[in-house]
PDB file of all heavy atoms in Angstrom:
ATOM      1  N   TYR A 346    -140.947  47.390  35.691  1.00  0.00           N
ATOM      2  CA  TYR A 346    -139.804  46.733  36.384  1.00  0.00           C
ATOM      3  C   TYR A 346    -140.243  46.218  37.744  1.00  0.00           C
ATOM      4  O   TYR A 346    -141.082  46.797  38.384  1.00  0.00           O
ATOM      5  CB  TYR A 346    -138.658  47.715  36.546  1.00  0.00           C
ATOM      6  CG  TYR A 346    -137.957  48.021  35.258  1.00  0.00           C
ATOM      7  CD1 TYR A 346    -138.570  48.727  34.236  1.00  0.00           C
ATOM      8  CD2 TYR A 346    -136.646  47.571  35.018  1.00  0.00           C
ATOM      9  CE1 TYR A 346    -137.903  49.013  33.026  1.00  0.00           C
ATOM     10  CE2 TYR A 346    -135.992  47.857  33.847  1.00  0.00           C
ATOM     11  CZ  TYR A 346    -136.629  48.575  32.848  1.00  0.00           C
ATOM     12  OH  TYR A 346    -136.006  48.824  31.665  1.00  0.00           O
ATOM     13  N   ARG A 347    -139.666  45.097  38.152  1.00  0.00           N
ATOM     14  CA  ARG A 347    -139.974  44.524  39.460  1.00  0.00           C
ATOM     15  C   ARG A 347    -138.885  44.871  40.458  1.00  0.00           C
ATOM     16  O   ARG A 347    -137.741  45.071  40.063  1.00  0.00           O
ATOM     17  CB  ARG A 347    -140.191  43.030  39.353  1.00  0.00           C
ATOM     18  CG  ARG A 347    -138.912  42.260  39.154  1.00  0.00           C
ATOM     19  CD  ARG A 347    -139.147  40.785  39.566  1.00  0.00           C
ATOM     20  NE  ARG A 347    -137.970  39.968  39.293  1.00  0.00           N
ATOM     21  CZ  ARG A 347    -136.936  39.846  40.131  1.00  0.00           C
ATOM     22  NH1 ARG A 347    -136.889  40.504  41.260  1.00  0.00           N
ATOM     23  NH2 ARG A 347    -135.910  39.077  39.801  1.00  0.00           N
ATOM     24  N   PRO A 348    -139.231  44.841  41.734  1.00  0.00           N
ATOM     25  CA  PRO A 348    -138.205  45.139  42.801  1.00  0.00           C
ATOM     26  C   PRO A 348    -137.179  43.961  42.855  1.00  0.00           C
ATOM     27  O   PRO A 348    -137.547  42.830  42.660  1.00  0.00           O
ATOM     28  CB  PRO A 348    -138.984  45.258  44.067  1.00  0.00           C
ATOM     29  CG  PRO A 348    -140.412  45.273  43.701  1.00  0.00           C
ATOM     30  CD  PRO A 348    -140.548  44.720  42.313  1.00  0.00           C
ATOM     31  N   CYS A 349    -135.960  44.318  43.276  1.00  0.00           N
ATOM     32  CA  CYS A 349    -134.886  43.358  43.482  1.00  0.00           C
ATOM     33  C   CYS A 349    -135.163  42.620  44.797  1.00  0.00           C
ATOM     34  O   CYS A 349    -135.464  43.229  45.839  1.00  0.00           O
ATOM     35  CB  CYS A 349    -133.588  44.091  43.558  1.00  0.00           C
ATOM     36  SG  CYS A 349    -132.178  43.068  44.013  1.00  0.00           S
ATOM     37  N   ALA A 350    -135.038  41.306  44.793  1.00  0.00           N
ATOM     38  CA  ALA A 350    -135.249  40.497  45.976  1.00  0.00           C
ATOM     39  C   ALA A 350    -134.131  40.678  47.028  1.00  0.00           C
ATOM     40  O   ALA A 350    -134.331  40.510  48.203  1.00  0.00           O
ATOM     41  CB  ALA A 350    -135.351  39.029  45.620  1.00  0.00           C
ATOM     42  N   VAL A 351    -132.944  41.124  46.562  1.00  0.00           N
ATOM     43  CA  VAL A 351    -131.823  41.277  47.455  1.00  0.00           C
ATOM     44  C   VAL A 351    -131.850  42.562  48.254  1.00  0.00           C
ATOM     45  O   VAL A 351    -131.813  42.570  49.472  1.00  0.00           O
ATOM     46  CB  VAL A 351    -130.481  41.179  46.666  1.00  0.00           C
ATOM     47  CG1 VAL A 351    -129.280  41.481  47.554  1.00  0.00           C
ATOM     48  CG2 VAL A 351    -130.364  39.818  46.014  1.00  0.00           C
ATOM     49  N   CYS A 352    -131.998  43.676  47.586  1.00  0.00           N
ATOM     50  CA  CYS A 352    -131.940  44.975  48.269  1.00  0.00           C
ATOM     51  C   CYS A 352    -133.291  45.582  48.628  1.00  0.00           C
ATOM     52  O   CYS A 352    -133.344  46.547  49.397  1.00  0.00           O
ATOM     53  CB  CYS A 352    -131.104  45.988  47.457  1.00  0.00           C
ATOM     54  SG  CYS A 352    -131.851  46.475  45.881  1.00  0.00           S
ATOM     55  N   LEU A 353    -134.361  45.052  48.056  1.00  0.00           N
ATOM     56  CA  LEU A 353    -135.724  45.525  48.363  1.00  0.00           C
ATOM     57  C   LEU A 353    -136.611  44.365  48.689  1.00  0.00           C
ATOM     58  O   LEU A 353    -137.619  44.060  47.999  1.00  0.00           O
ATOM     59  CB  LEU A 353    -136.267  46.301  47.154  1.00  0.00           C
ATOM     60  CG  LEU A 353    -135.502  47.563  46.696  1.00  0.00           C
ATOM     61  CD1 LEU A 353    -136.015  48.087  45.410  1.00  0.00           C
ATOM     62  CD2 LEU A 353    -135.582  48.620  47.802  1.00  0.00           C
ATOM     63  N   PRO A 354    -136.290  43.615  49.763  1.00  0.00           N
ATOM     64  CA  PRO A 354    -137.063  42.367  50.060  1.00  0.00           C
ATOM     65  C   PRO A 354    -138.519  42.592  50.363  1.00  0.00           C
ATOM     66  O   PRO A 354    -139.342  41.755  49.916  1.00  0.00           O
ATOM     67  CB  PRO A 354    -136.309  41.762  51.253  1.00  0.00           C
ATOM     68  CG  PRO A 354    -135.537  42.923  51.864  1.00  0.00           C
ATOM     69  CD  PRO A 354    -135.202  43.860  50.760  1.00  0.00           C
ATOM     70  N   GLU A 355    -138.901  43.651  51.032  1.00  0.00           N
ATOM     71  CA  GLU A 355    -140.320  43.887  51.324  1.00  0.00           C
ATOM     72  C   GLU A 355    -141.084  44.191  50.059  1.00  0.00           C
ATOM     73  O   GLU A 355    -142.166  43.589  49.805  1.00  0.00           O
ATOM     74  CB  GLU A 355    -140.533  44.970  52.414  1.00  0.00           C
ATOM     75  CG  GLU A 355    -140.040  44.548  53.789  1.00  0.00           C
ATOM     76  CD  GLU A 355    -138.538  44.821  53.993  1.00  0.00           C
ATOM     77  OE1 GLU A 355    -137.952  45.546  53.160  1.00  0.00           O
ATOM     78  OE2 GLU A 355    -137.987  44.319  54.966  1.00  0.00           O
ATOM     79  N   PRO A 356    -140.659  45.190  49.234  1.00  0.00           N
ATOM     80  CA  PRO A 356    -141.403  45.424  47.985  1.00  0.00           C
ATOM     81  C   PRO A 356    -141.393  44.202  47.081  1.00  0.00           C
ATOM     82  O   PRO A 356    -142.393  43.960  46.408  1.00  0.00           O
ATOM     83  CB  PRO A 356    -140.636  46.601  47.338  1.00  0.00           C
ATOM     84  CG  PRO A 356    -139.971  47.288  48.459  1.00  0.00           C
ATOM     85  CD  PRO A 356    -139.627  46.193  49.426  1.00  0.00           C
ATOM     86  N   TYR A 357    -140.310  43.450  47.095  1.00  0.00           N
ATOM     87  CA  TYR A 357    -140.285  42.226  46.235  1.00  0.00           C
ATOM     88  C   TYR A 357    -141.335  41.220  46.727  1.00  0.00           C
ATOM     89  O   TYR A 357    -142.035  40.626  45.893  1.00  0.00           O
ATOM     90  CB  TYR A 357    -138.869  41.577  46.272  1.00  0.00           C
ATOM     91  CG  TYR A 357    -138.876  40.262  45.587  1.00  0.00           C
ATOM     92  CD1 TYR A 357    -138.804  40.181  44.181  1.00  0.00           C
ATOM     93  CD2 TYR A 357    -138.918  39.036  46.264  1.00  0.00           C
ATOM     94  CE1 TYR A 357    -138.849  38.970  43.500  1.00  0.00           C
ATOM     95  CE2 TYR A 357    -138.928  37.847  45.625  1.00  0.00           C
ATOM     96  CZ  TYR A 357    -138.905  37.783  44.247  1.00  0.00           C
ATOM     97  OH  TYR A 357    -138.903  36.596  43.577  1.00  0.00           O
ATOM     98  N   ALA A 358    -141.426  41.003  48.041  1.00  0.00           N
ATOM     99  CA  ALA A 358    -142.412  40.077  48.571  1.00  0.00           C
ATOM    100  C   ALA A 358    -143.813  40.512  48.203  1.00  0.00           C
ATOM    101  O   ALA A 358    -144.661  39.669  47.843  1.00  0.00           O
ATOM    102  CB  ALA A 358    -142.243  39.952  50.089  1.00  0.00           C
ATOM    103  N   ALA A 359    -144.097  41.810  48.311  1.00  0.00           N
ATOM    104  CA  ALA A 359    -145.428  42.326  47.923  1.00  0.00           C
ATOM    105  C   ALA A 359    -145.664  42.136  46.413  1.00  0.00           C
ATOM    106  O   ALA A 359    -146.786  41.711  46.007  1.00  0.00           O
ATOM    107  CB  ALA A 359    -145.546  43.792  48.300  1.00  0.00           C
ATOM    108  N   TRP A 360    -144.671  42.392  45.577  1.00  0.00           N
ATOM    109  CA  TRP A 360    -144.785  42.217  44.174  1.00  0.00           C
ATOM    110  C   TRP A 360    -145.068  40.745  43.829  1.00  0.00           C
ATOM    111  O   TRP A 360    -145.959  40.393  43.042  1.00  0.00           O
ATOM    112  CB  TRP A 360    -143.507  42.664  43.429  1.00  0.00           C
ATOM    113  CG  TRP A 360    -143.470  42.288  42.000  1.00  0.00           C
ATOM    114  CD1 TRP A 360    -144.008  42.998  40.960  1.00  0.00           C
ATOM    115  CD2 TRP A 360    -142.877  41.125  41.437  1.00  0.00           C
ATOM    116  NE1 TRP A 360    -143.770  42.298  39.784  1.00  0.00           N
ATOM    117  CE2 TRP A 360    -143.118  41.135  40.066  1.00  0.00           C
ATOM    118  CE3 TRP A 360    -142.159  40.021  41.979  1.00  0.00           C
ATOM    119  CZ2 TRP A 360    -142.665  40.153  39.198  1.00  0.00           C
ATOM    120  CZ3 TRP A 360    -141.729  39.032  41.135  1.00  0.00           C
ATOM    121  CH2 TRP A 360    -141.955  39.122  39.768  1.00  0.00           C
ATOM    122  N   LYS A 361    -144.320  39.829  44.480  1.00  0.00           N
ATOM    123  CA  LYS A 361    -144.471  38.392  44.226  1.00  0.00           C
ATOM    124  C   LYS A 361    -145.829  37.904  44.678  1.00  0.00           C
ATOM    125  O   LYS A 361    -146.469  37.136  43.973  1.00  0.00           O
ATOM    126  CB  LYS A 361    -143.363  37.624  44.936  1.00  0.00           C
ATOM    127  CG  LYS A 361    -143.360  36.168  44.553  1.00  0.00           C
ATOM    128  CD  LYS A 361    -142.188  35.452  45.104  1.00  0.00           C
ATOM    129  CE  LYS A 361    -142.246  34.027  44.634  1.00  0.00           C
ATOM    130  NZ  LYS A 361    -141.455  33.117  45.403  1.00  0.00           N
ATOM    131  N   ALA A 362    -146.307  38.373  45.849  1.00  0.00           N
ATOM    132  CA  ALA A 362    -147.633  37.957  46.310  1.00  0.00           C
ATOM    133  C   ALA A 362    -148.710  38.406  45.362  1.00  0.00           C
ATOM    134  O   ALA A 362    -149.657  37.679  45.049  1.00  0.00           O
ATOM    135  CB  ALA A 362    -147.883  38.485  47.714  1.00  0.00           C
ATOM    136  N   ALA A 363    -148.610  39.631  44.882  1.00  0.00           N
ATOM    137  CA  ALA A 363    -149.612  40.151  43.933  1.00  0.00           C
ATOM    138  C   ALA A 363    -149.591  39.364  42.646  1.00  0.00           C
ATOM    139  O   ALA A 363    -150.619  39.064  42.081  1.00  0.00           O
ATOM    140  CB  ALA A 363    -149.351  41.663  43.630  1.00  0.00           C
ATOM    141  N   ARG A 364    -148.376  39.027  42.170  1.00  0.00           N
ATOM    142  CA  ARG A 364    -148.262  38.244  40.914  1.00  0.00           C
ATOM    143  C   ARG A 364    -148.838  36.870  41.110  1.00  0.00           C
ATOM    144  O   ARG A 364    -149.541  36.359  40.263  1.00  0.00           O
ATOM    145  CB  ARG A 364    -146.789  38.167  40.520  1.00  0.00           C
ATOM    146  CG  ARG A 364    -146.591  37.403  39.200  1.00  0.00           C
ATOM    147  CD  ARG A 364    -145.174  37.040  38.997  1.00  0.00           C
ATOM    148  NE  ARG A 364    -144.832  36.048  39.990  1.00  0.00           N
ATOM    149  CZ  ARG A 364    -143.728  35.367  40.010  1.00  0.00           C
ATOM    150  NH1 ARG A 364    -142.811  35.564  39.124  1.00  0.00           N
ATOM    151  NH2 ARG A 364    -143.471  34.487  40.956  1.00  0.00           N
ATOM    152  N   ASP A 365    -148.548  36.222  42.260  1.00  0.00           N
ATOM    153  CA  ASP A 365    -149.078  34.869  42.551  1.00  0.00           C
ATOM    154  C   ASP A 365    -150.589  34.907  42.671  1.00  0.00           C
ATOM    155  O   ASP A 365    -151.255  33.957  42.258  1.00  0.00           O
ATOM    156  CB  ASP A 365    -148.424  34.315  43.784  1.00  0.00           C
ATOM    157  CG  ASP A 365    -146.947  33.976  43.602  1.00  0.00           C
ATOM    158  OD1 ASP A 365    -146.499  33.985  42.454  1.00  0.00           O
ATOM    159  OD2 ASP A 365    -146.272  33.800  44.632  1.00  0.00           O
ATOM    160  N   ASN A 366    -151.144  35.951  43.254  1.00  0.00           N
ATOM    161  CA  ASN A 366    -152.605  36.056  43.366  1.00  0.00           C
ATOM    162  C   ASN A 366    -153.291  36.219  42.001  1.00  0.00           C
ATOM    163  O   ASN A 366    -154.398  35.755  41.810  1.00  0.00           O
ATOM    164  CB  ASN A 366    -153.007  37.223  44.251  1.00  0.00           C
ATOM    165  CG  ASN A 366    -152.743  36.940  45.728  1.00  0.00           C
ATOM    166  OD1 ASN A 366    -152.699  35.777  46.128  1.00  0.00           O
ATOM    167  ND2 ASN A 366    -152.545  37.978  46.495  1.00  0.00           N
TER     168      ASN A 366
END
Side-chain angles (χ1 to χ4, degrees):
Y346 287 68
R347 73 161 176 84
C349 173
V351 174
C352 67
L353 298 171
E355 292 87 11
Y357 173 78
W360 170 85
K361 187 172 182 200
R364 184 193 66 171
D365 291 347
N366 286 336

